[in-house]
Amino acid sequence: MLGFFRRIINSRLGVIISGLVLGIIALAFALGDVTGLQTSGLTGTSVASVGGAKVTERELTERVQSELQGAQQRNPNVDMAQFVAAGGVESVLDRMLNGLALEAYGEQQGMVVSRALVGSELRNIPALKGPTGNFDQAIYEQVLARNKLTDAQVQGDIARETMVQFLVRPQVGASQVPETLALPYASLLLERRAGQAAMIPTAGVPAGPAPTDAELQTWYGRNIARYSVPERRVVRYALVTPESVKARATPGEADIAKAYNGDKARWAARETRSVSLVTVLDQNAANALAGKVRGGTSVADAARAAGLEARTLAGQDKAALASATSQAVADAVFAAGANGVVGPVRGPIGFIVGKVDAVAQVPGQTLAEARGTLVEELTKTRTAEALNAIRDALEGGIGDNSNFAELVADQKLTAATTPALTTQGADPENPAYRPAPELAPLVQAAFQAEEGDDPQVVQTAADGSFALVALDRIVRAAPRPLAAVRAQVTADVIADRARRAARVAATKVLAAINKGTPVAQALAGSGVTGGKVERIVAARSQIKADPRGPNAALALLFSMKGGTAKMLEAPGGQGWMVIKLDQIAAGDAAKAPPVITATRRDLGQVVGAEYAQQFTEAVKAQLKVTRNADAIAKVKASLTGGSNP
């Protein structure tokens, strides 16, 4: 059934796992976010293969870490344990296999991604562009080194992504859905059902005696991952910011005077002009347009009538106008008076017609008047120079095998050390700890390093700030001792005991209802206090009406046969619900054209992705996918800090 309808009925993983149906991982994301990798103990063992290509334990771990970071940008409360428990590892692996399968299939069909196309895509990645806006080889090499990637890996990722796009773009682009296809789905949305919901709360179940030591030990052993601390790292760092170089970046009076005298033309009195210009490719057309302007038509109106668009340049001196157009145009504009018409003048492309809208005299500025601007400009320049000088010295020292302490001492920096932090920058020993925003890239860099690696320089902000970073030590993933979490384990055992007891009571209520006992009577006979029965009446379209997510009770109601009852756990472990379906009223969208129109639109947004998914599954079936369950379990254990089952 179409993905749209699946999302309407139920979506338990959508809060944590999101992404494209094919899992196409853009290289720009990989370059920016392949960080925080917990790969200790992992090898190149294959976790899965397709069409001769394999995914290793390390590759899967790295990709899961990257996807978790993306999920945390949308929901900071998501942690690795939740991500893994919700099927995140399997989802990531499926998407990696999709890409490998499609790449192999394309090659089998004789499709080739040229090196020229790969190079073009690489040069267009924003993160790899330098100050000039063009591809910067030095930045690219820094990114490769920082993320421990090779040029071959990067180009391979680009080629794979491009091949996938070649294959799936035709299917994804399909969005036309006929009315005959949309009608049954639209009618389903209008279907109405009525029933009853009996709530069996865990709070209504007797707590029983305190858990014994044996119970606590057994629970602790079975749920060790819940009480484990993931791998953490202690980071030594020294921040270098514009504020830290302020003393050496502040210009003196002599510096200000020198800058003023070195560019006196800038501060001298000058004339500026505001002008409207339009470019015309044909000279005869340009002559005709200029004639209209001289006749009183505005440049904008004359241009619009010719199917062109005028532009306005305000407050331009002659040099600025020449830079924006050409010297010939600037000469003509400054030779004309206010309201004078200029042109046609040959420009860089075609012929330019313009009109002088205003002439202004800008008075000169004395040194005292220009001082504020000069101080700001000099400070900015000197700050950048000071930051670059320190950075160059640090990188040079790293190249000469200087250690962190030596580098800090040489540059007179202030060193600091973080607590033992997880990849998310959290301190499990101090839940209230909140790292400063600039520490995030430092922690990510530390999780890419190994003990004994050289220090590295990491950019921390767009203002040029950076930090010298070194990995101090690694605190391996390990469970907390039972004694340290005894209170939590006790509470969890009691909660689980109540949950299971409530489930037994709910099962008893369910059996009685399905034998014909009225809902209220069955609940009363369960022996649970605080239970209640509520009437449910809803249309299928209401399942996803709540922006927080699908209503589980309604989803169950609309998946049942009439007259039957089913049970599900209430949100937040509050208890169990037994739902009984009493009435079904079929919908008829033929009498509601707007609903059909809306359904066609919604289906059109996903039908292309559905085609692409089915195509991908067919390719994987042909190339035969294999999975190594033991290796996948090992990856999960490494990510969550638990033991490998």
Side-chain angles (χ1 to χ4, degrees):
M1 189 172 289
L2 290 172
F4 160 73
F5 193 57
R6 286 198 301 265
R7 293 204 313 273
I8 290 176
I9 300 301
N10 196 12
S11 178
R12 299 186 64 183
L13 304 183
V15 175
I16 296 178
I17 301 172
S18 61
L20 297 176
V21 68
L22 298 174
I24 301 170
I25 307 300
L27 179 66
F29 177 79
L31 289 178
D33 293 301
V34 180
T35 56
L37 307 180
Q38 296 180 331
T39 59
S40 58
L42 297 178
T43 67
T45 300
S46 172
V47 296
S49 64
V50 59
K54 69 176 184 178
V55 178
T56 66
E57 292 176 352
R58 185 175 296 273
E59 290 170 340
L60 178 58
T61 301
E62 293 174 353
R63 189 58 56 84
V64 170
Q65 288 283 1
S66 293
E67 292 225 2
L68 175 63
Q69 291 169 21
Q72 288 171 335
Q73 292 175 3
R74 298 182 293 274
N75 180 5
N77 295 322
V78 175
D79 60 23
M80 180 58 78
Q82 292 174 312
F83 190 83
V84 173
V89 173
E90 290 81 0
S91 177
V92 170
L93 179 58
D94 283 344
R95 295 199 292 273
M96 294 178 73
L97 291 172
N98 287 343
L100 292 172
L102 289 169
E103 181 184 36
Y105 179 80
E107 291 172 351
Q108 287 181 2
Q109 306 309 308
M111 299 175 65
V112 177
V113 178
S114 70
R115 291 183 60 84
L117 180 56
V118 171
S120 175
E121 294 293 332
L122 184 64
R123 288 191 295 272
N124 286 329
I125 296 175
L128 302 181
K129 293 185 178 180
T132 63
N134 297 321
F135 174 81
D136 191 310
Q137 182 67 27
I139 293 177
Y140 178 49
E141 292 175 357
Q142 291 172 11
V143 169
L144 292 179
R146 184 166 63 248
N147 293 294
K148 297 184 178 180
L149 297 170
T150 66
D151 179 62
Q153 287 175 315
V154 170
Q155 295 207 32
D157 282 346
I158 293 177
R160 181 178 303 112
E161 178 195 352
T162 304
M163 180 71 79
V164 169
Q165 291 179 0
F166 286 164
L167 289 168
V168 304
R169 189 173 294 166
Q171 293 98 319
V172 173
S175 61
Q176 297 300 315
V177 176
E179 182 174 324
T180 52
L181 175 62
L183 179 59
Y185 294 103
S187 295
L188 281 174
L189 292 176
L190 296 179
E191 178 188 317
R192 298 185 65 82
R193 295 192 175 194
Q196 302 171 73
M199 178 67 183
I200 297 89
T202 54
V205 178
T212 65
D213 289 341
E215 284 182 294
L216 295 179
Q217 187 65 53
T218 300
W219 172 269
Y220 173 79
R222 290 177 178 173
N223 299 275
I224 193 70
R226 181 182 298 189
Y227 310 107
S228 295
V229 179
E231 182 179 297
R232 294 166 290 158
R233 301 201 172 190
V234 179
V235 186
R236 301 180 69 193
Y237 66 95
L239 292 173
V240 182
T241 66
E243 184 64 26
S244 68
V245 299
K246 185 176 181 179
R248 71 174 80 178
T250 302
E253 293 302 324
D255 299 317
I256 298 171
K258 182 179 179 180
Y260 178 84
N261 293 323
D263 192 10
K264 283 192 172 182
R266 177 184 177 187
W267 311 106
R270 67 189 189 280
E271 182 177 278
T272 64
R273 302 200 169 196
S274 297
V275 59
S276 297
L277 303 172
V278 61
T279 299
V280 186
L281 296 179
D282 180 73
Q283 186 171 11
N284 291 331
N287 289 331
L289 192 146
K292 290 184 178 180
V293 175
R294 290 189 175 92
T297 304
S298 69
V299 174
D301 289 343
R304 194 176 300 110
L308 303 172
E309 185 175 351
R311 60 172 175 156
T312 299
L313 300 175
Q316 303 284 303
D317 60 23
K318 193 171 184 178
L321 185 60
S323 176
T325 56
S326 69
Q327 188 61 52
V329 173
D331 290 340
V333 168
F334 275 82
N339 298 315
V341 177
V342 177
V345 178
R346 180 175 291 278
I349 300 175
F351 298 86
I352 295 177
V353 177
K355 182 178 181 180
V356 179
D357 299 323
V359 177
Q361 300 298 325
V362 180
Q365 288 183 275
T366 64
L367 175 58
E369 293 170 330
R371 188 179 187 284
T373 301
L374 287 169
V375 168
E376 181 181 352
E377 293 176 352
L378 289 172
T379 300
K380 183 177 181 180
T381 300
R382 290 187 169 208
T383 297
E385 291 173 348
L387 292 172
N388 289 335
I390 296 175
R391 183 164 189 156
D392 290 344
L394 291 173
E395 291 176 342
I398 293 171
D400 293 335
N401 296 319
S402 297
N403 61 34
F404 180 85
E406 292 169 339
L407 294 168
V408 168
D410 288 344
Q411 295 302 314
K412 297 179 174 56
L413 304 179
T414 301
T417 304
T418 70
L421 302 177
T422 66
T423 54
Q424 292 77 44
D427 179 4
E429 305 300 332
N430 180 15
Y433 175 80
R434 295 292 182 271
E438 61 267 19
L439 292 187
L442 311 189
V443 174
Q444 293 173 2
F447 269 90
Q448 295 179 65
E450 297 296 336
E451 289 178 314
D453 282 0
D454 292 334
Q456 55 183 304
V457 176
V458 177
Q459 193 81 21
T460 60
D463 64 359
S465 297
F466 60 90
L468 178 68
V469 183
L471 174 61
D472 184 74
R473 68 181 186 277
I474 298 175
V475 182
R476 302 298 178 184
R480 290 188 177 96
L482 175 57
V485 293
R486 187 180 182 88
Q488 182 183 349
V489 173
T490 300
D492 290 345
V493 169
I494 293 173
D496 181 68
R497 182 190 291 167
R499 174 183 172 277
R500 287 186 285 110
R503 190 180 193 282
V504 171
T507 303
K508 179 180 178 181
V509 171
L510 176 65
I513 293 174
N514 281 329
K515 289 179 180 179
T517 304
V519 175
Q521 183 179 337
L523 180 60
S526 67
V528 176
T529 61
K532 59 181 180 179
V533 178
E534 293 184 353
R535 181 75 172 166
I536 303 177
V537 179
R540 188 184 291 272
S541 58
Q542 292 177 252
I543 294 175
K544 294 193 66 177
D546 191 333
R548 294 172 297 180
N551 185 307
L554 293 184
L556 180 61
L557 183 71
F558 280 88
S559 66
M560 298 163 54
K561 293 182 179 180
T564 63
K566 290 185 178 181
M567 59 183 280
L568 78 160
E569 190 168 9
Q574 298 177 8
W576 293 82
M577 290 188 290
V578 177
I579 310 293
K580 181 176 184 293
L581 175 59
D582 294 327
Q583 297 175 341
I584 300 175
D588 184 6
K591 300 176 182 178
V595 177
I596 297 178
T597 300
T599 303
R600 292 180 66 184
R601 181 179 63 249
D602 290 341
L603 288 172
Q605 294 174 358
V606 298
V607 67
E610 185 74 16
Y611 290 148
Q613 184 180 27
Q614 295 304 323
F615 172 73
T616 304
E617 293 302 322
V619 168
K620 289 164 65 178
Q622 177 179 318
L623 297 180
K624 301 189 184 308
V625 174
T626 61
R627 289 177 170 83
N628 183 337
D630 291 340
I632 295 173
K634 182 180 177 182
V635 169
K636 288 183 176 181
S638 174
L639 289 167
T640 58
S643 60
N644 188 15

